[in-house]
Amino acid sequence: MTSSTPSSTPSPRADRVRIGVQIAPQHALYPKIRVTVAEVEALGTDIAFDWDHFFPLSGEKNGLHFESWTLLAAWAEQTSTIELGALVNCNGYRNPDLQADMARTIDHISGGRFIFGTGSGWFERDYDEYGFEFGTAGTRLDALEADLPRIEARWAKLNPPPLRDIPVLIGGGGEKKTLRIVARHADIWHSFSTPAVLEHKLGVLSKWCDTVGRDLSEIEISTELRARTVTEADELYDLGARLFTLGLSGPHYDLASLTDWLAWRDTKNALETGCTRDA
């Protein structure tokens, strides 16, 4: 959550289904990644994500891989309609004030389409090989909780400011720390929950929202599609999920399933529009 700034871009908390595609920057050279971003945007995808790692997470461990934030700046210049961000940024790799400035800059490059997706980090090899302190899950979450107010404060000081209130997406499902941080700072909460787990986690998040004085309805619920069936996606939708993400990896970035999920999105949104008009 940030201070109010002018924007021509809608708030992410509209009650409509959105599809995000995480284009993993691994096992492909940049021309293929660039073409994939163009294809994903042309299909009408709502958000293009990458991830914030320094090495592949699957396949050949020393395979082709690119850095997250510089890719996002390139995507911001290349695209015109799709929102973009990391799913998710690793808080420990960069100073929080620098993160804020980088986010603001990409927001301007994109014309107000940047989403600040962030988390505490987990991939130990990144930390070890690039010289960052790995610490523990607890200390990394403590750092995220301490750094988010600094990021928000820096956005308020920057000249020029961001073009909009940059949406903050926080990934993770820990009930004692992560969901408390989500309740305080997130516009979007992302998890990998099954319907049963999501129902439980939403109950926990609702209690944290009550504690910090927020309404749960202010937070967009996001979840990963992975190999889910339409039935499972419908159940997640019924629980309140509205942002659904699909992961793609190089070298081929197969878009076949994306077209099916975009059609599912359009059906859901058409039904929602019809219900609203009938009311």
Side-chain angles (χ1 to χ4, degrees):
M1 299 179 349
T2 63
S3 60
S4 180
T5 54
S7 173
S8 59
T9 306
S11 164
R13 191 59 193 103
D15 195 32
R16 61 187 179 91
V17 174
R18 304 197 295 165
I19 298 292
V21 173
Q22 185 185 55
I23 302 169
Q26 63 176 15
H27 307 308
L29 291 173
Y30 186 67
K32 177 61 177 177
I33 295 173
R34 190 182 194 282
V35 167
T36 301
V37 171
E39 291 174 338
V40 164
E41 182 177 41
L43 286 170
T45 307
D46 297 285
I47 308 168
F49 293 109
D50 65 6
W51 66 33
D52 190 19
H53 295 288
F54 304 129
F55 301 95
L57 298 187
S58 62
E60 170 52 49
K61 67 178 184 178
N62 292 315
L64 300 170
H65 197 278
F66 290 99
E67 192 274 333
S68 170
W69 282 82
T70 40
L71 278 180
L72 290 171
W75 293 3
E77 183 64 34
Q78 170 190 344
T79 58
S80 59
T81 60
I82 197 168
E83 290 186 278
L84 58 141
L87 193 66
V88 290
N89 167 68
C90 176
N91 180 65
Y93 298 163
R94 301 162 192 89
N95 172 283
D97 293 276
L98 175 61
Q99 292 179 55
D101 205 339
M102 293 164 68
R104 180 280 308 258
T105 299
I106 297 177
D107 191 55
H108 274 260
I109 296 170
S110 68
R113 292 180 286 118
F114 187 72
I115 294 173
F116 182 67
T118 194
S120 59
W122 62 273
F123 191 40
E124 189 169 4
R125 184 186 179 191
D126 284 346
Y127 289 82
D128 291 344
E129 294 218 21
Y130 278 63
F132 300 113
E133 181 180 353
F134 186 59
T136 66
T139 60
R140 294 193 300 276
L141 280 166
D142 290 343
L144 178 64
E145 188 167 28
D147 288 346
L148 278 165
R150 284 182 60 183
I151 291 167
E152 292 164 354
R154 180 58 56 187
W155 279 335
K157 297 174 184 176
L158 288 170
N159 186 16
L163 291 176
R164 65 170 177 173
D165 290 348
I166 295 177
V168 174
L169 179 156
I170 296 175
E175 297 180 11
K176 293 181 179 180
K177 290 187 176 182
T178 302
L179 293 184
R180 182 182 71 220
I181 298 169
V182 169
R184 286 178 176 159
H185 298 282
D187 300 290
I188 308 168
W189 169 52
H190 182 78
S191 74
F192 298 90
S193 302
T194 63
V197 171
L198 182 62
E199 185 173 19
H200 168 73
K201 298 287 186 183
L202 286 173
V204 176
L205 179 57
S206 180
K207 291 178 181 178
W208 278 121
C209 285
D210 289 342
T211 298
V212 304
R214 275 190 88 189
D215 191 326
L216 177 61
S217 66
E218 297 174 12
I219 302 172
E220 185 176 16
I221 308 303
S222 171
T223 189
E224 170 66 39
L225 285 168
R226 289 190 172 179
R228 298 197 195 282
T229 64
V230 170
T231 299
E232 290 175 301
D234 286 341
E235 291 176 6
L236 292 165
Y237 174 89
D238 290 341
L239 288 167
R242 290 298 181 270
L243 174 56
F244 296 82
T245 64
L246 183 67
L248 302 177
S249 176
H252 302 299
Y253 298 110
D254 185 0
L255 303 181
S257 63
L258 174 58
T259 56
D260 293 335
W261 286 114
L262 290 172
W264 175 82
R265 174 202 66 185
D266 293 344
T267 299
K268 286 291 185 188
N269 289 338
L271 289 171
E272 182 66 28
T273 299
C275 290
T276 301
R277 287 174 179 167
D278 291 342

